Amino acid sequence: MPTIQSIAGELEPHPDVALIARVRGGDISAYDTLVRKYERQLFRIAQHITQNREDAEDVMQDAFLKAYEKLDQFQGNSKFYTWLVRIAVNESLMRLRKRRTGKMVSIDEDIETEEGSVPRDLADWAPDPEQNYNQAELGEILRKTIQGLPQGFRIVFVLRDVEGLSTEETAETLGLSIPAVKSRLLRARLQLRERLSRYFHRTKAVKNTGVGK
Amino acid sequence: MTCKEFLALLDDMIDDSVTAEARAELDAHLGRCAHCEVIFNTTRKTIEIYRSHEIYELPATLRDRLHAAIMARCKKAC
Ligand SMILES: [Zn+2]
């Protein structure tokens, strides 16, 4: 019988492995610990994909319930967190499809764009450019900017750069090849950089223009 | 090394996954190309800003409510 094994190459088993064994043994308090550990990340990821707070709340709940019900199918050859993220990504995409009935939603959307693959804005940024804005302004700039990315780039950037998954884990989670993840990541990074440049230029110490609506 | 070649290795450079040899070439290019230096620094900064600013926070009260709902649903599914 295959059992949950420590991730190949790691000497110590991941702490989640013991928690999952306890859940399988009927100890629901161990699942409580796992939910606490990952609920914020799942909420963020769902919010990034659905761009809707209520959807993110539903996705987060449904994903944890689904993971609990399907725990027997978790093989332990990937990290529990990666497996959980994959469920949350799928739930988020399903939710989007429901909301935009008729419109196909997939992570392959809009990836043919060449926009931003060649850097155009070559002016340097101010040192610590985010200091020119207050927290609320900065939050709005960052949200608006990332929301403008094509879905397929945004998810890759969020998983890989914000949530810290490896390139391999991101590829596995999204069902993409490693070269596809790499090419999307580069373009996502360059497009974000390009779009943030207009706020962070050294020459424009814009304190009071606020964020354009 | 051309700017195009530099750009092709930009991600690996940022993620620190280049060989020492490639690293030396990339550094040499950075030393004489102001444009690539700006792109490198500002791209790294872009990632850092997104990593250090949580743009979708989960307020404690909402978190508690959702957490309780999740656990209640799981217990029911037992
Ligand atoms: Zn150059």
Side-chain angles (χ1 to χ4, degrees):
Chain A
M1 275 293 279
T3 52
I4 307 173
Q5 286 154 7
S6 61
I7 294 113
E10 281 182 26
L11 295 172
E12 298 270 318
H14 194 279
D16 290 352
V17 172
L19 286 168
I20 290 159
R22 279 174 51 200
V23 179
R24 282 179 172 164
D27 179 2
I28 197 161
S29 75
Y31 198 63
D32 197 292
T33 308
L34 285 166
V35 174
R36 273 243 169 262
K37 192 169 167 187
Y38 297 123
E39 57 198 3
R40 269 171 310 169
Q41 287 97 312
L42 249 54
F43 180 75
R44 273 204 302 263
I45 291 167
Q47 193 60 305
H48 271 294
I49 300 175
T50 63
Q51 305 197 17
N52 177 288
R53 165 91 166 250
E54 279 170 38
D55 281 346
E57 291 180 20
D58 289 345
V59 164
M60 179 185 142
Q61 295 185 59
D62 293 348
F64 277 115
L65 183 68
K66 200 165 251 184
Y68 182 73
E69 288 172 340
K70 289 184 165 183
L71 202 59
D72 285 342
Q73 292 169 31
F74 173 64
Q75 292 297 321
N77 41 19
S78 63
K79 282 186 199 154
F80 175 69
Y81 176 56
T82 317
W83 184 72
L84 201 55
V85 169
R86 193 188 321 164
I87 295 173
V89 168
N90 288 335
E91 288 287 317
S92 302
L93 291 173
M94 253 166 50
R95 183 78 40 172
L96 269 188
R97 280 181 204 119
K98 241 186 248 172
R99 198 169 268 274
R100 307 178 190 167
T101 33
K103 190 174 181 257
M104 258 307 282
V105 178
S106 83
I107 49 166
D108 297 327
E109 195 182 18
D110 297 333
I111 59 155
E112 294 312 320
T113 174
E114 284 298 312
E115 191 221 323
S117 51
V118 180
R120 289 173 210 285
D121 197 322
L122 300 168
D124 203 2
W125 290 3
D128 300 318
E130 67 270 45
Q131 314 257 315
N132 290 325
Y133 299 93
N134 67 37
Q135 276 306 108
E137 288 170 332
L138 183 65
E140 203 184 333
I141 290 170
L142 296 178
R143 269 190 299 276
K144 255 181 48 166
T145 302
I146 199 165
Q147 283 175 358
L149 277 190
Q151 176 88 272
F153 291 0
R154 192 170 65 240
I155 301 181
V156 168
F157 180 81
V158 166
L159 296 186
R160 177 66 172 62
D161 278 343
V162 181
E163 302 302 333
L165 268 64
S166 69
T167 303
E168 290 74 17
E169 288 166 345
T170 304
E172 196 198 319
T173 302
L174 300 177
L176 293 169
S177 69
I178 287 174
V181 168
K182 285 188 168 172
S183 112
R184 286 175 192 209
L185 182 66
L186 176 63
R187 295 210 264 162
R189 285 170 167 181
L190 288 176
Q191 285 192 24
L192 288 175
R193 185 205 79 89
E194 199 82 14
R195 288 161 193 231
L196 285 182
S197 282
R198 71 184 79 136
Y199 301 105
F200 293 161
H201 275 161
R202 182 184 285 280
T203 45
K204 297 183 212 160
V206 270
K207 183 98 192 160
N208 48 14
T209 44
V211 184
K213 287 271 144 66
Chain B
M1 177 174 275
T2 64
C3 293
K4 212 177 162 187
E5 287 166 337
F6 179 88
L7 210 57
L9 287 170
L10 179 68
D11 272 346
D12 291 335
M13 174 101 166
I14 287 171
D15 298 331
D16 214 7
S17 60
V18 286
T19 62
E21 206 183 352
R23 175 101 211 173
E25 274 190 63
L26 288 159
D27 280 336
H29 184 84
L30 275 184
R32 59 172 187 270
C33 180
H35 284 170
C36 285
E37 196 188 9
V38 167
I39 291 163
F40 175 64
N41 288 333
T42 54
T43 305
R44 214 165 41 171
K45 184 76 189 170
T46 297
I47 297 164
E48 190 202 307
I49 287 178
Y50 273 104
R51 217 172 260 169
S52 56
H53 292 84
E54 206 155 298
I55 59 174
Y56 295 122
E57 274 181 86
L58 180 56
T61 46
L62 176 61
R63 185 183 174 184
D64 289 344
R65 181 167 67 72
L66 292 173
H67 184 89
I70 290 165
M71 293 318 295
R73 285 173 73 187
C74 287
K75 273 172 196 152
K76 241 173 147 179
C78 263

